[in-house]
Amino acid sequence: MKVYNTMTREKEEFTPLEGTVRMYSCGPTVYNFAHIGNLRTYVFMDLLRRVLRYDGYKVKGVMNITDVGHLLSDADEGEDKMEKASREQKKSPYEIADFYTRVFFEDLEKLNISRPEVTPKATAHIPEMIAFVQGLMDKGFAYEIEDGIYFDIGKFPDYGRLSRADLEEQRAGARVDVNSQKRHPADFALWKKAPKEHIMQWESPWGMGYPGWHIECSAMSRKYLGDTFDIHTGGVDHIPIHHENEIAQSEALTGKEPARYWMHGEFMLVDNGKMSKKLGNTYTLSQLEEKGYPPLVFRYFCLNAHYRKKLNFTFEGMDAAKTSYERLLAALAAHREGREVIPEQKMEEYRRQFREAVDDDLNLPLALGVLWTMVKEPRSGQIWKQALDFDRVFGLSLDRAELPQSEKEEAPPEILALCERRWQAKKQKNFALADSLRAEVEAAGYEIADRADGFSVRPKA
Ligand code: AMP
Ligand code: ZN
């Protein structure tokens, strides 16, 4: 399997360090409903996990739940998102977090996103974070100022490796209002000292406070996956700050790179622009459902674009996805009881093409193309079975595809057996036998309708 590694900007052959693939995905900040852009990123995470499994790997996935410490800007500015929601909604930040975490997991389930094996909450790992920060202090990578403990990027010459950012340019371009006690404008908070009114705060060697957002991921990934694990995922917005900071913290503490492959999902746009609350275009999954788009239509919509390409969300696009998904289900259902025999060689070729597509940095649009070609074959149970096997990756609940009632065969096995013998006789051009078998079926009270690729049978009207 080949994956695109943001660190090297190349597609690389994937090999795990050990038998089980260890993977960390940055999870949601649970102060609000996830929007469809967030969900696209988790569909990407899910596809990666599914392809790894399809290829025979065991996967241990960790996805954090950020319930403290994510400020309004990724670069340590503004209020804590949880505290702000708490103030506005007049609920405790813990109630807010519980509520939105539950809705988030419901969304994942509706989208057939398999839940990562471990989903740790930041607030349940404060001691690990404090120990991490203390470790960085002890090694001289961190310093204390009035409002918190900061990472000293000047001590980490490799800073900026992932985004290939120029630090001196950053220094020159830094805003003037940036915290003047910081040694470099890009130094970031590991631990913030809490003002009294801040609800979420914990004791630490530096007084009462709360962790920075970046340290959460470093501490939890290390705890559950070790100093170096295989894959780290997130959205492209994480490249320049969040993941750069995770790398700096982890490498400074352990001397090892935290992850070997960094994979990032591109953004979803709405009407070709950014999603924003102001424009009122940050749709949630429930809103799509209310508008008549089942969650799996949204999943199908996502699968039609490669994860490294921007995906423009429009309702026309969703309409097209809905029609296409329904057609796919109908075409597939017709194979369920199909009797045609497809040469094994041909089936093998479909399997090869599918595997090649998904193993090429998750080329799901191409893999869907293979499925579409396959369902156009004459009606065969082999196609049905193969599609369900592919669905281990697609996650489109293809097994729920049902023929419309009118097309279902409604006859007992002995009648079906007669019909089957008649069908074979007809194929061998033994029409006399075929006719007498049909007569037998009709005498038993059933009627047969022939189609190009098979037959259906039901009780006489
Ligand atoms: P957050 O809850 O803000 O931390 O974001 C959760 C995830 O959604 C992160 O992995 C982000 O990178 C990702 N994300 C945010 N906005 C978008 C978007 N418009 N399209 C795709 N992913 C996004
Ligand atoms: Zn993270």
Side-chain angles (χ1 to χ4, degrees):
M1 176 185 185
K2 281 203 157 77
V3 297
Y4 182 86
N5 190 349
T6 307
M7 186 61 88
T8 58
R9 305 286 196 275
E10 269 170 38
K11 269 194 217 174
E12 295 174 17
E13 192 59 40
F14 174 75
T15 44
L17 277 172
E18 290 166 13
T20 297
V21 176
R22 285 169 294 158
M23 174 170 157
Y24 187 87
S25 305
C26 288
T29 307
V30 285
Y31 69 108
N32 205 334
F33 295 106
H35 60 60
I36 52 177
N38 304 137
L39 294 173
R40 180 193 187 196
T41 293
Y42 298 110
V43 169
F44 150 61
M45 167 195 81
D46 182 57
L47 290 170
L48 177 56
R49 287 162 52 76
R50 284 171 177 269
V51 172
L52 288 166
R53 289 226 186 80
Y54 193 83
D55 284 356
Y57 293 113
K58 276 206 174 116
V59 181
K60 178 175 180 186
V62 178
M63 179 185 66
N64 65 296
I65 300 292
T66 296
D67 54 359
V68 65
H70 195 172
L71 304 190
L72 289 177
S73 111
D74 286 1
D76 304 325
E77 281 161 55
E79 201 176 348
D80 184 311
K81 289 181 180 185
M82 298 300 308
E83 296 265 331
K84 180 164 184 279
S86 158
R87 185 166 45 71
E88 286 170 355
Q89 300 180 31
K90 299 193 172 47
K91 293 202 175 96
S92 89
Y94 294 98
E95 283 174 289
I96 303 265
D98 278 353
F99 175 77
Y100 290 111
T101 303
R102 191 164 49 75
V103 179
F104 176 70
F105 282 128
E106 279 168 14
D107 282 355
L108 295 195
E109 208 170 308
K110 285 183 192 166
L111 287 169
N112 282 348
I113 295 175
S114 81
R115 193 160 157 165
E117 287 62 38
V118 192
T119 51
K121 287 198 299 189
T123 50
H125 294 79
I126 303 293
E128 286 88 344
M129 295 170 201
I130 292 177
F132 207 114
V133 178
Q134 186 63 58
L136 290 172
M137 284 292 259
D138 295 345
K139 290 196 157 185
F141 283 102
Y143 60 92
E144 181 169 1
I145 56 177
E146 219 166 89
D147 76 340
I149 308 296
Y150 283 77
F151 186 90
D152 188 348
I153 63 165
K155 298 265 167 63
F156 190 77
D158 240 10
Y159 190 86
R161 192 167 81 223
L162 184 67
S163 54
R164 306 191 173 177
D166 185 324
L167 280 184
E168 281 321 300
E169 243 168 56
Q170 272 191 30
R171 188 193 287 278
R175 301 217 320 260
V176 272
D177 62 353
V178 73
N179 188 332
S180 62
Q181 292 185 331
K182 292 205 302 192
R183 296 180 187 165
H184 187 287
D187 285 355
F188 54 92
L190 298 165
W191 184 262
K192 281 276 214 176
K193 297 182 187 173
K196 273 213 176 56
E197 66 278 12
H198 206 270
I199 303 166
M200 306 176 105
Q201 45 177 300
W202 292 264
E203 250 175 70
S204 80
W206 318 283
M208 296 301 286
Y210 59 97
W213 173 42
H214 320 296
I215 200 74
E216 300 180 2
C217 288
S218 287
M220 291 191 278
S221 62
R222 183 169 185 233
K223 170 163 181 177
Y224 294 104
L225 299 172
D227 288 351
T228 300
F229 48 92
D230 297 300
I231 308 177
H232 197 311
T233 74
V236 287
D237 57 326
H238 288 164
I239 301 171
I241 299 176
H242 184 51
H243 288 170
E244 210 68 91
N245 294 355
E246 277 188 43
I247 293 170
Q249 298 163 152
S250 295
E251 255 180 64
L253 186 74
T254 69
K256 298 174 205 151
E257 57 170 359
R260 300 162 62 235
Y261 303 88
W262 291 84
M263 295 178 69
H264 294 96
E266 244 305 346
F267 259 36
M268 174 169 271
L269 307 176
V270 173
D271 296 328
N272 279 313
K274 211 175 133 79
M275 266 182 247
S276 92
K277 293 246 165 55
K278 261 191 223 141
L279 296 170
N281 63 4
T282 53
Y283 302 109
T284 64
L285 198 61
S286 311
Q287 283 170 334
L288 294 190
E289 285 182 276
E290 280 158 23
K291 286 178 191 281
Y293 303 99
L296 291 184
V297 167
F298 178 70
R299 184 174 173 106
Y300 184 81
F301 178 78
C302 291
L303 262 52
N304 272 288
H306 190 259
Y307 78 92
R308 282 197 290 121
K309 294 241 163 70
K310 289 195 174 65
L311 173 56
N312 185 33
F313 178 93
T314 60
F315 282 102
E316 292 78 56
M318 280 295 281
D319 287 335
K322 191 174 177 194
T323 308
S324 174
Y325 179 54
E326 281 165 3
R327 280 200 190 130
L328 177 66
L329 290 183
L332 185 61
H335 290 282
R336 194 168 191 152
E337 313 289 341
R339 291 177 175 74
E340 287 296 323
V341 176
I342 314 283
E344 197 39 43
Q345 216 180 347
K346 201 165 198 182
M347 295 308 298
E348 189 51 45
E349 180 58 16
Y350 285 128
R351 283 194 282 274
R352 195 191 61 73
Q353 289 175 5
F354 174 82
R355 187 73 174 256
E356 195 172 286
V358 297
D359 281 354
D360 181 17
D361 191 31
L362 314 183
N363 195 337
L364 267 296
L366 191 59
L368 272 181
V370 175
L371 176 64
W372 266 109
T373 313
M374 197 176 81
V375 297
K376 286 177 184 148
E377 292 279 356
R379 298 178 175 205
S380 161
Q382 289 161 281
I383 303 287
W384 170 259
K385 268 178 63 186
Q386 192 54 58
L388 296 200
D389 173 66
F390 291 168
D391 202 39
R392 285 162 48 211
V393 172
F394 294 128
L396 289 169
S397 293
L398 297 181
D399 60 332
R400 280 189 227 152
E402 286 225 24
L403 272 182
Q405 200 58 30
S406 58
E407 274 208 63
K408 272 198 198 148
E409 286 155 1
E410 298 164 67
E414 64 276 12
I415 300 295
L416 281 176
L418 285 174
C419 295
E420 187 61 39
R421 274 174 60 206
R422 175 190 160 268
W423 177 251
Q424 294 306 331
K426 209 180 135 189
K427 278 212 323 201
Q428 287 152 18
K429 303 206 186 313
N430 188 346
F431 297 113
L433 179 60
D435 285 348
S436 85
L437 287 165
R438 177 197 280 271
E440 252 186 87
V441 169
E442 287 183 349
Y446 292 88
E447 61 186 3
I448 300 177
D450 279 335
R451 292 191 304 250
D453 53 0
F455 61 85
S456 64
V457 57
R458 59 176 176 193
K460 270 187 192 161

